[in-house]
Amino acid sequence: MSILVVLTTGKEAFVRANAIMQMTLMIRKTSGQPVEFLALGPGVEVFRSNQKNSPQFGQMLEQMKEAGITLAVCEMSLENLGLTRDQMFEANIVRGGVEVAQRIQEGYTVLTF
């Protein structure tokens, strides 16, 4: 079973976002299943490399990547928030809605926060 974790929580709830990222990491480490992490809407804020919480999120994103979790951010969400690739930690830039629909078709379990 493959899992897609969708984060829509942004800077209004960084503690919650951090907990979701830690949960995603633990799912990967304990289940051994393929796990993908997609940030949509305000969720893309956790990928910003130029904010107060950046060191904490950067470290967590690196741990997730090292564990084999695919990281992605929604292109439209970046545009809507006025963010550019050079302001972000490394991640795949995707069309979020298309990505979610495709994973559902592929039989992924989708967890949304």
Side-chain angles (χ1 to χ4, degrees), residues 28-93:
R28 172 69 180 140
K29 286 183 173 183
T30 58
S31 73
Q33 300 298 323
V35 178
E36 297 183 23
F37 184 80
L38 170 63
L40 287 175
V44 301
E45 293 281 348
V46 301
F47 282 88
R48 284 184 66 181
S49 60
N50 59 349
Q51 61 189 352
K52 185 176 78 173
N53 298 72
S54 292
Q56 176 185 355
F57 286 129
Q59 184 178 16
M60 179 58 67
L61 291 166
E62 190 58 37
Q63 288 176 28
M64 292 168 72
K65 198 165 38 173
E66 288 172 3
I69 297 170
T70 301
L71 304 175
V73 295
C74 175
E75 178 180 34
M76 295 303 294
S77 298
L78 290 178
E79 287 178 19
N80 290 338
L81 292 169
L83 299 172
T84 59
R85 182 183 283 270
D86 63 327
Q87 295 172 296
M88 310 302 287
F89 289 116
E90 185 180 333
N92 298 326
I93 308 292

Side-chain angles (χ1 to χ4, degrees), residues 2 5 7 9-10 12 22 25-26 28 34 40-41 55 58 67 71 74 78 84 91 97 102-103 111:
S2 300
V5 177
L7 178 69
T9 299
E12 77 283 355
Q22 288 178 354
L25 183 59
M26 287 303 107
R28 172 69 180 140
L40 287 175
L71 304 175
C74 175
L78 290 178
T84 59
Q102 187 173 357
R103 295 302 176 266
L111 306 174

